[in-house]
Amino acid sequence: MTGRFISFEGIDGAGKSTHIQAVADWFRARGADVQLSREPGGTPLAEALRALVLQSPMGSLTEVLLMFAGRRDHVETVIRPALAANKTLLCDRFTDASFAYQGGGRGLPLSVLNPLADWVQEGTEPELTLWFDLPSEQAAARRAGAREADRIEQQDLDFFERVRTAYAQRAAAAPDRVVRIDATGTVEAVREQVLAVLARRYPAC
């Protein structure tokens, strides 16, 4: 694998999706072959599973199994081929989201999540994760006027605070990979942080 794999994480409303295009433009301006993807989703099968997860009532274990089923197809058919082709793959969420949402939010234990991650990814993980950190109240205010809430976005503030805490734990456990972005400011201020991280991590790019 010779490409780059960068993921974007954060609770719904944190603004991560807003900045993916700016990162893509930054890499393309430096000659990189950039590919964008997302989770849940990223392949026809995974997109079908995404629709089920976001719209159909289900238990927490069923939810996480569908997430990882889609992720396996994504890893096999999109992520690994992109990296083998020396592309820069930018992914809107990856496995950190499952540990945050189904682990922190839903309360599923690491004894369930860790084996799933090992089986599904087989060592494939981002080299850099940009975590857009925002208080749950502020994120909820941003979501309110953006779009109709899906099944997960309809959860209460306590749920999203647990998700945020789980993201913080993931960041603390992998400080070389996960970089916290303060997402409380303006779009411009947040973008400045993101581009500064890229300049530090990829000075020769």
Side-chain angles (χ1 to χ4, degrees):
M1 300 295 180
T2 56
R4 301 185 188 93
F5 181 13
I6 300 172
S7 63
F8 297 69
E9 297 283 356
I11 63 175
D12 293 276
K16 59 182 173 47
S17 302
T18 301
H19 299 282
I20 291 178
Q21 189 58 55
V23 174
D25 292 343
W26 189 91
F27 276 109
R28 284 175 177 141
R30 288 154 180 80
D33 184 0
V34 178
Q35 182 173 338
L36 277 65
S37 195
R38 71 172 183 175
E39 288 200 358
T43 72
L45 173 59
E47 290 291 335
L49 295 176
R50 174 192 177 93
L52 288 174
V53 167
L54 296 184
Q55 303 300 331
S56 301
M58 64 186 68
S60 299
L61 184 56
T62 302
E63 182 178 283
V64 79
L65 289 172
L66 289 177
M67 289 287 194
F68 273 101
R71 180 165 298 128
R72 179 60 185 181
D73 191 56
H74 192 210
V75 167
E76 287 186 307
T77 63
V78 173
I79 296 176
R80 286 180 178 166
L83 298 180
N86 199 31
K87 294 184 179 182
T88 295
L89 181 70
L90 308 180
C91 192
D92 188 343
R93 299 197 192 283
F94 193 60
T95 302
D96 292 305
S98 293
F99 281 83
Y101 278 81
Q102 284 75 51
R106 303 291 194 201
L108 289 176
L110 294 179
S111 59
V112 170
L113 297 172
N114 282 331
L116 284 172
D118 290 342
W119 296 334
V120 164
Q121 294 167 235
E122 295 182 313
T124 301
E125 70 171 6
E127 64 182 60
L128 172 64
T129 296
L130 298 173
W131 167 41
F132 293 80
D133 184 28
L134 188 70
S136 54
E137 295 88 348
Q138 191 173 349
R142 290 183 181 179
R143 291 195 306 272
R147 59 188 177 273
E148 183 178 353
D150 60 40
R151 187 176 69 87
I152 293 178
E153 291 172 338
Q154 292 171 6
Q155 301 301 308
D156 60 22
L157 290 180
D158 287 342
F159 173 88
F160 283 104
E161 200 56 38
R162 294 194 300 273
V163 172
R164 184 188 182 201
T165 298
Y167 270 127
Q169 292 169 347
R170 295 286 288 177
D176 292 336
R177 175 177 66 84
V178 183
V179 177
R180 178 184 177 271
I181 303 294
D182 181 355
T184 59
T186 64
V187 171
E188 293 75 17
V190 175
R191 183 170 298 145
E192 286 183 7
Q193 294 180 66
V194 171
L195 297 182
V197 171
L198 297 180
R200 290 196 302 269
R201 292 293 291 257
Y202 304 103
C205 183

